Amino acid sequence: MFYCAYYFLLRKETFFNSNRWFLLFGLITSVILPLIVYTKVVWVNPASLSDLTFSQTNLIETASNTPFTINWFYLILFAYGIGFISLLIKFAIDFYSLNSVLKGKKIYQQADFKFIDTNENIAPFSYFEYIVYNSSMYTASELENIIEHEKIHSDQNHTVDVLISRAFCMLFWFNPIIWLYRKAIIQNLEFIADKEAAKKLEDKKAYQYTLLKITTHENCVAITNHFFQSLIKKRIVMLNKNQSKKRNSWKYYAVIPALAAFVLLFQIEVIAKEKQQTVKEVSGEIKSVDVYKIKKNSTDANLNEIKEKLKKLHNVDFEVSEIKRNSNSDLTSLKVNIKNGKQTAQSIQTGENSPIKDFAVIVTTNKDDSKSVGIQTYDEIKNSKTDGEPKVAISKKLQTKTETNGSNNSNVSAKTNTNTNTNTSTTVIVNSDNDTKVITTTKGSTASFSNGTKVSINETDKLIVVDGKEMPSGFDYNDINSKDIKSVNVYTGTNAVAKYGEKGANGVIEIETRK
């Protein structure tokens, strides 16, 4: 933006000194401004219940082999490093060449200037207080013009501008604008020196002839202000141009709206924060839901933080063990035990080098302030990513409530299937106040234990009843929009047969919609 403002508005004006500071200010602003970020917090509604699985179970998932991917960040960083180091070496060579010209030469001190009359065939130049020239190549009047020009460079410390622009070219070599910007800086410095030198010389035309003569000397020393410049025509044009009118100085302020637009477009970081999730009209029981994510790259500190929050906010005990990580510090083995009063939940994931599947601990607070806990995995197959985070999704789009008869409790144990080539997981929810314990497998079948009796349910053969109406065979309840579901009841075994007869032998799913 600064370069565009200079090129289109200022380069033809004779405000050379102002242009110098404008260009330098542009470099500094271009580095600092992107580091200033304003934060804007946006409160968003939390994910609806349809985005979460509350079925107090967890699916057994098999981790696929991680495909080979190219790390573009390191590749780009490597390319940048090559360019930067190459330019840094070039700068060191130029500095060495300059030092060889200055070292061991006889110096003539005059006021704050140090003159070196060399025998080398090089164009005149200045470097800080040093002014170097070959007197044998010029007449007395030409040499006077050259020295007066270089004094302006030295007196106004133009070498600083040259070095700053060179440093920016090394750091941001990949940006073509920086090379044009450096050219504009150096060219403007020559305009300044030409203008000030012409004021002190009696013959302005002779000075211009000197400029033309020096164009034949192309052997210049880098990182210096040298008298020779390839854009001699522009220098002569600017030297003879009338002074710009002061009212044209408004052009310097034209960049301010552009900077403001830059900040508004790129420097405001929007942070979305979820409101406390309050669940309404879900079986008339749930008040709020809290989700605590456990990812493959979760650190020990993250796990401890979850433990502290669960205990402090919900009085839920959270323990992790059998932690193993691979070379990338990703979790490959993890055992999680959760206890909420008499209710316990367990998740075990084991593997050799494959990272675990991301999952979450769900704490549901009912209207009577009682709490229940559950564990769920991320549905990585059916759901895309949003803002770099997996979208926690419900695979059945249902909240299930299992009802059984009987009063005696039976014990349920979970055996974890371990495979060294892949990552497997098993989750068991046990509620000692409920006769029914549920284990869900990848095939979708459910084993329901009631008073020690095991009943197998084939999910595809379940009778589905929507708003009191029995659905035909093959009906897919996933076609119902989860937002339209008010409540869901699942009946199995004797309960289903008692209510629906033989049609309910394989289980019944009752769905009540908001319609």
Side-chain angles (χ1 to χ4, degrees):
M1 288 190 295
F2 276 89
Y3 178 77
C4 288
Y6 173 79
Y7 185 85
F8 293 108
L9 299 176
L10 299 171
R11 67 186 174 96
K12 294 184 179 181
E13 303 293 340
T14 60
F15 306 127
F16 303 132
N17 282 303
S18 298
N19 286 349
R20 176 192 181 188
W21 301 116
F22 177 85
L23 291 170
L24 288 178
F25 179 74
L27 289 180
I28 297 171
T29 304
S30 298
V31 170
I32 296 177
L33 191 59
L35 303 178
I36 302 174
V37 178
Y38 294 92
T39 302
K40 180 181 179 181
V41 178
V42 177
W43 293 94
V44 297
N45 293 322
S48 63
L49 283 179
S50 62
D51 292 332
L52 301 174
T53 303
F54 292 95
S55 58
Q56 292 190 333
T57 59
N58 199 10
L59 300 179
I60 300 176
E61 299 189 18
T62 302
S64 59
N65 294 328
T66 303
F68 174 76
T69 57
I70 299 175
N71 193 321
W72 291 104
F73 173 78
Y74 289 113
L75 188 62
I76 294 173
L77 187 64
F78 178 75
Y80 170 80
I82 292 178
F84 175 76
I85 293 174
S86 299
L87 291 173
L88 189 62
I89 293 174
K90 178 66 168 58
F91 178 81
I93 294 173
D94 292 341
F95 190 82
Y96 177 79
S97 300
L98 170 65
N99 188 61
S100 63
V101 172
L102 300 178
K103 188 176 180 180
K105 300 297 191 299
K106 187 175 182 180
I107 299 175
Y108 301 93
Q109 184 80 32
Q110 183 185 72
D112 295 330
F113 306 108
K114 296 179 180 179
F115 297 96
I116 296 179
D117 190 354
T118 181
N119 294 325
E120 299 182 32
N121 183 21
I122 57 175
F125 68 88
S126 62
Y127 180 75
F128 288 106
E129 70 272 21
Y130 291 94
I131 297 177
V132 181
Y133 54 88
N134 186 340
S135 60
S136 63
M137 299 171 59
Y138 311 103
T139 65
S141 60
E142 291 172 344
L143 190 59
E144 180 185 2
N145 295 334
I146 292 171
I147 291 177
E148 198 62 47
H149 176 96
E150 298 303 332
K151 279 184 177 180
I152 303 300
H153 282 312
S154 179
D155 189 51
Q156 296 189 10
N157 292 315
H158 289 177
T159 303
V160 175
D161 301 49
V162 175
L163 293 177
I164 290 176
S165 63
R166 181 70 177 267
F168 270 78
C169 285
M170 289 190 294
L171 289 171
F172 305 104
W173 60 266
F174 53 87
N175 186 348
I177 299 297
I178 193 61
W179 299 95
L180 298 175
Y181 205 97
R182 176 174 180 263
K183 182 178 179 180
I185 287 177
I186 295 176
Q187 179 180 289
N188 185 69
L189 294 178
E190 296 305 319
F191 292 160
I192 294 175
D194 289 338
K195 179 181 177 181
E196 297 300 322
K199 289 180 181 179
K200 298 180 180 181
L201 297 172
E202 296 181 357
D203 194 342
K204 189 175 181 179
K205 184 177 292 187
Y207 178 80
Q208 296 176 55
Y209 278 120
T210 303
L211 291 179
L212 293 174
K213 181 177 180 179
I214 301 302
T215 59
T216 58
H217 299 283
E218 298 185 0
N219 187 14
C220 305
V221 179
I223 66 172
T224 62
N225 299 285
H226 39 83
F227 192 84
F228 162 74
Q229 289 289 334
S230 59
L231 301 175
I232 295 297
K233 180 180 178 180
K234 290 185 178 180
R235 291 174 61 181
I236 294 177
V237 169
M238 297 304 291
L239 189 61
N240 291 279
K241 191 172 184 178
N242 293 329
Q243 180 69 26
S244 298
K245 296 179 180 179
K246 290 185 177 181
R247 65 170 179 263
N248 290 342
S249 59
W250 66 268
K251 296 179 180 180
Y252 290 103
Y253 305 102
V255 75
I256 295 178
L259 292 177
F262 177 87
V263 171
L264 293 176
L265 289 174
F266 304 109
Q267 299 307 111
I268 296 180
E269 180 182 10
V270 178
I271 298 178
K273 290 188 177 181
E274 285 190 356
K275 301 175 182 177
Q276 177 66 33
Q277 184 169 13
T278 301
V279 181
K280 298 180 180 179
E281 294 185 299
V282 181
S283 301
E285 297 176 357
I286 298 176
K287 181 170 67 174
S288 65
V289 176
D290 294 303
V291 180
Y292 299 89
K293 299 177 181 179
I294 300 175
K295 302 180 180 181
K296 65 181 181 180
N297 58 354
S298 294
T299 63
D300 291 343
N302 298 143
L303 298 175
N304 288 331
E305 183 181 1
I306 293 175
K307 178 179 180 179
E308 293 174 359
K309 287 184 177 180
L310 286 171
K311 188 66 177 177
K312 181 179 179 181
L313 300 178
H314 308 288
N315 197 28
V316 172
D317 294 324
F318 174 86
E319 297 295 338
V320 293
S321 58
E322 301 180 15
I323 297 176
K324 293 182 181 180
R325 300 180 186 272
N326 58 20
S327 58
N328 295 326
S329 298
D330 290 336
L331 289 166
T332 58
S333 176
L334 181 70
K335 179 179 180 180
V336 175
N337 287 288
I338 303 173
K339 185 177 181 181
N340 176 37
K342 295 181 179 181
Q343 185 187 47
T344 63
Q346 184 181 87
S347 177
I348 305 172
Q349 295 199 46
T350 60
E352 186 175 5
N353 291 317
S354 300
I356 67 169
K357 290 293 183 178
D358 297 343
F359 63 98
V361 177
I362 310 295
V363 180
T364 306
T365 304
N366 301 318
K367 286 188 176 180
D368 59 0
D369 290 330
S370 62
K371 298 179 183 291
S372 60
V373 295
I375 298 175
Q376 71 164 55
T377 60
Y378 288 20
D379 194 339
E380 296 176 346
I381 298 177
K382 296 182 180 179
N383 297 275
S384 60
K385 293 185 176 182
T386 303
D387 294 335
E389 290 291 332
K391 191 177 183 181
V392 181
I394 179 168
S395 58
K396 304 301 181 192
K397 297 183 180 178
L398 300 175
Q399 178 187 351
T400 63
K401 180 170 66 177
T402 305
E403 297 184 0
T404 60
N405 294 324
S407 58
N408 297 327
N409 293 333
S410 59
N411 296 324
V412 176
S413 62
K415 295 183 179 180
T416 303
N417 179 20
T418 304
N419 188 319
T420 58
N421 295 325
T422 59
N423 194 304
T424 62
S425 63
T426 301
T427 297
V428 180
I429 307 296
V430 180
N431 190 336
S432 59
D433 288 337
N434 193 328
D435 291 342
T436 302
K437 292 85 181 176
V438 181
I439 302 174
T440 300
T441 68
T442 51
K443 295 182 179 179
S445 61
T446 301
S448 177
F449 296 83
S450 180
N451 298 326
T453 302
K454 179 177 179 181
V455 180
S456 296
I457 301 171
N458 187 343
E459 189 171 76
T460 59
D461 295 333
K462 288 181 181 178
L463 175 64
I464 301 175
V465 179
V466 180
D467 293 334
K469 183 179 179 181
E470 297 179 9
M471 296 291 104
S473 177
F475 175 80
D476 188 0
Y477 54 75
N478 288 295
D479 294 335
I480 303 175
N481 192 323
S482 59
K483 294 182 179 179
D484 296 334
I485 296 176
K486 183 177 181 180
S487 65
V488 177
N489 292 328
V490 178
Y491 296 89
T492 61
T494 57
N495 292 323
V497 175
K499 189 168 184 179
Y500 289 94
E502 293 182 358
K503 293 182 293 184
N506 292 321
V508 180
I509 298 177
E510 282 187 351
I511 302 174
E512 181 184 357
T513 66
R514 300 181 187 276
K515 298 178 181 179

